């Protein structure tokens, strides 16, 4: 059975340039810190990739710190800022951030550090006036707001947020993991700290970066080596870095992204026109072009996900399974959905390899199973 993958926000397969680049370099094993020829060769790979990633993100290569992924980059942004400023540190972050931001924030809070959260409305976006008031009330030293949400695809108004922060000399961090390769860099690369990862852009897993703009207070949280200009100790993941750079050369073009948005719209329109009790989360606010978070009223996401899986379709429930029970998504709860409603949503996330035929097949299969489940419920 040819499976259909509709979970590109979870991860992506490696693209051709990335795979070929890694295959070609697999026998290079020098330590990039060694000054002999083996080491220099490995170091050249890193520096070439640094240029490629920086070019794709349109930032200065000297501002890029390679990390083990987006989670570590988020932790470094928050913890590195905290340790650099300590007594003057106060964090304001968004209630729908990725768990790597929220859990780091919780850790800081448990150490007695002041942390506040920005609420979102029913559409999953923020009210800028309310945000401005919160900033003036709490006077944070660091604001962390993601560029786009991984579950709903909702895009946050970073330009306006940056303006508010700049006027008050507040450092702005953005987790751009889901925006990189889906939104033009000019929509997020002006932030003081920017988180990126490789495996959402057809690159390898276990590699990411934090962009640290010149002059932003930041100290290392990994020690024992002078790597990354002493900003992140530890022997570099040379092949991961190489693959990340190669993936950056194959980011979708604006035309491909437009096509993706068209496919997503066709899918959403098909569902909304054919089925009853279907709701699009974040329907009325700007979203990245590949993500549809859909609530199927009265239908457990676990049941629908399982049915689709058996049909060869991979999607995400947008909720974590822990101790055998489904925990409702913190993103949907923060948007005001009740516990039950939050367990009725599926996330479909498409990629540059998605075809119109795949969209139509998924649409057809979802409609079939929703009708089947609704019919069974009517009879009982
Ligand atoms: C918005 C967002 N931030 C951070 C991460 C974590 O990135 P990584 O898997 O590279 O640690 C993810 C991964 O799902 C994400 O979607």
């Amino acid at each position: 059975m040819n499976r259909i993958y509709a979970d590109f926000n979870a991860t992506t397969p490696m693209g051709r340039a990335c795979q070929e680049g890694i295959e070609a370099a697999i026998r290079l094993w020098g330590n990039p810190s060694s000054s002999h020829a083996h080491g220099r060769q490995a170091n050249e790979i890193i520096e070439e990739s640094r240029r490629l990633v920086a070019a794709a993100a349109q930032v200065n290569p000297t501002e890029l710190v390679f990390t083990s992924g987006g989670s570590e980059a988020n932790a470094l942004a928050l913890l590195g800022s905290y340790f650099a400023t300590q007594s003057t540190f106060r964090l304001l972050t968004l209630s729908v951030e990725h768990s790597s931001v929220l859990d780091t924030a919780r850790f800081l809070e448990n150490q007695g550090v002041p942390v506040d959260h920005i609420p979102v409305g029913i559409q999953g976006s923020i009210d800028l006036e309310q945000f401005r008031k919160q900033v003036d009330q709490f006077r944070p030293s660091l604001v962390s707001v993601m560029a786009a949400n991984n579950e709903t695809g909702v895009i946050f108004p970073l330009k306006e947020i940056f303006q508010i922060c700049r006027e008050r000399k507040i450092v702005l961090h953005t987790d751009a993991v889901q925006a990189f390769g889906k939104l033009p860099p000019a929509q997020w690369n002006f932030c003081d700290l920017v988180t990126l990862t490789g495996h959402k852009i057809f690159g390898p897993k276990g590699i990411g970066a934090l962009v640290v703009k010149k002059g932003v207070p930041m100290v290392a949280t990994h020690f024992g080596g002078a790597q990354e200009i002493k900003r992140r100790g530890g022997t570099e993941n040379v092949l991961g870095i190489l693959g990340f750079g190669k993936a950056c050369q194959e980011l979708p073009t604006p035309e491909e992204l437009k096509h993706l948005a068209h496919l997503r719209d066709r899918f959403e329109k098909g569902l909304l026109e054919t089925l009853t009790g279907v709701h699009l989360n974040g329907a009325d606010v700007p979203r990245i072009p590949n993500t549809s978070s859909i609530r199927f009223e009265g239908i457990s996401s676990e049941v629908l996900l399982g049915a689709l899986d058996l049909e060869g379709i991979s999607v995400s429930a947008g909720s974590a399974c822990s101790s055998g029970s489904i925990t409702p998504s913190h993103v949907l709860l923060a948007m005001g959905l009740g516990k039950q409603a939050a367990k009725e949503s599926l996330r479909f996330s498409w990629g540059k390899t998605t075809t119109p035929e795949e969209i139509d097949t998924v649409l057809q299969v979802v409609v079939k199973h929703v009708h089947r489940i609704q019919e069974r419920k009517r009879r009982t």
Side-chain angles (χ1 to χ4, degrees):
M1 165 168 56
N2 266 346
R3 289 196 67 94
I4 298 179
Y5 189 70
D7 200 12
F8 285 86
N9 284 9
T11 196
T12 57
M14 280 197 272
R16 183 187 295 238
C18 173
Q19 266 184 47
E20 288 176 359
I22 291 176
E23 274 162 22
I26 206 122
R27 287 187 215 289
L28 302 179
W29 47 268
N31 186 327
S33 297
S34 305
S35 50
H36 47 61
H38 282 93
R40 287 199 306 276
Q41 198 175 24
N43 191 50
E44 270 163 30
I45 290 177
I46 293 179
E47 293 316 314
E48 170 60 8
S49 279
R50 195 185 306 282
R51 281 189 288 277
L52 293 173
V53 177
Q58 294 170 14
V59 296
N60 192 322
T62 60
E63 297 169 335
L64 212 64
V65 181
F66 284 120
T67 64
S68 67
S71 300
E72 187 193 320
N74 281 337
L76 175 60
L78 271 52
L79 298 176
S81 297
Y82 165 64
F83 286 117
T85 52
Q86 301 240 7
S87 63
T88 55
F89 184 87
R90 184 173 186 129
L91 174 66
L92 179 60
T93 190
L94 195 60
S95 50
V96 295
E97 289 291 322
H98 185 261
S99 53
S100 54
V101 168
L102 290 179
D103 289 354
T104 308
R106 195 165 304 123
F107 169 79
L108 284 170
E109 213 172 359
N110 289 340
Q111 312 301 308
V113 175
V115 175
D116 305 288
H117 292 89
I118 308 160
V120 296
I122 187 73
Q123 293 293 330
S125 193
I126 66 168
D127 176 335
L128 279 171
E129 216 23 68
Q130 198 182 353
F131 169 71
R132 194 192 309 270
K133 281 189 190 141
Q134 271 197 302
V135 166
D136 286 334
Q137 181 188 352
F138 298 129
R139 298 181 175 275
S141 57
L142 177 71
V143 166
S144 180
V145 174
M146 65 201 329
N149 185 266
N150 42 304
E151 285 188 33
T152 57
V154 167
I155 299 170
F156 292 91
L158 280 181
K159 280 199 178 139
E160 290 80 358
I161 291 171
F162 181 68
Q163 188 63 30
I164 293 169
C165 290
R166 183 46 49 105
E167 284 162 8
R168 292 157 179 81
K169 295 192 169 50
I170 299 167
V171 175
L172 177 61
H173 165 244
T174 192
D175 174 348
V177 160
Q178 295 292 348
F180 192 30
K182 296 173 194 152
L183 291 178
Q187 287 192 33
W188 44 265
N189 69 358
F190 45 82
C191 295
D192 303 299
L193 299 165
V194 182
T195 292
L196 305 172
T197 197
H199 73 108
K200 315 283 185 183
I201 59 157
F202 296 81
K205 292 166 188 50
I207 184 68
L210 181 67
V211 179
V212 183
K213 295 285 172 69
K214 200 162 171 259
V216 173
M218 168 67 47
V219 294
T221 54
H222 283 59
F223 305 103
Q227 290 90 355
E228 300 298 287
I229 333 178
K230 293 196 177 161
R231 293 174 299 190
R232 199 263 185 183
T235 302
E236 299 89 336
N237 172 2
V238 181
L239 292 180
I241 292 174
L242 181 145
F244 192 11
K246 295 281 179 195
C248 285
Q249 289 183 297
E250 291 191 334
L251 289 182
T253 61
E255 290 70 36
E256 284 172 325
L257 290 175
K258 226 169 154 183
H259 180 63
L260 201 54
H262 171 75
L263 291 181
R264 174 204 62 185
D265 292 348
R266 168 163 154 174
F267 175 71
E268 291 176 356
K269 194 162 173 271
L271 280 185
L272 293 166
E273 284 179 358
T274 321
L275 293 168
T276 52
V278 173
H279 310 275
L280 179 55
N281 297 315
D284 301 329
V285 290
R287 284 178 294 134
I288 46 176
N290 77 319
T291 309
S292 310
S293 170
I294 315 261
R295 180 176 157 228
F296 301 89
E297 223 176 283
I299 299 178
S300 148
S301 56
E302 200 181 1
V303 169
L304 195 50
L305 187 142
L308 295 182
D309 194 28
L310 285 176
E311 295 264 15
I313 297 169
S314 300
V315 299
S316 159
S319 47
C321 187
S322 64
S323 346
S325 67
I326 294 282
T327 318
S329 140
H330 73 279
V331 174
L332 300 177
L333 290 178
M335 287 166 66
L337 268 72
K339 272 194 186 154
Q340 196 49 44
K343 289 186 195 173
E344 297 172 346
S345 286
L346 286 186
R347 177 188 70 188
F348 300 83
S349 53
W350 314 102
K352 64 181 178 185
T353 48
T354 301
T355 63
E357 292 72 31
E358 286 181 321
I359 291 279
D360 292 342
T361 304
V362 176
L363 182 56
Q364 211 183 333
V365 175
V366 172
V367 167
K368 179 177 90 177
H369 282 283
V370 170
H371 275 153
R372 175 183 62 78
I373 297 166
Q374 285 175 339
E375 187 53 34
R376 199 182 55 202
K377 283 193 148 206
R378 252 194 297 276
R379 282 209 233 104
T380 52

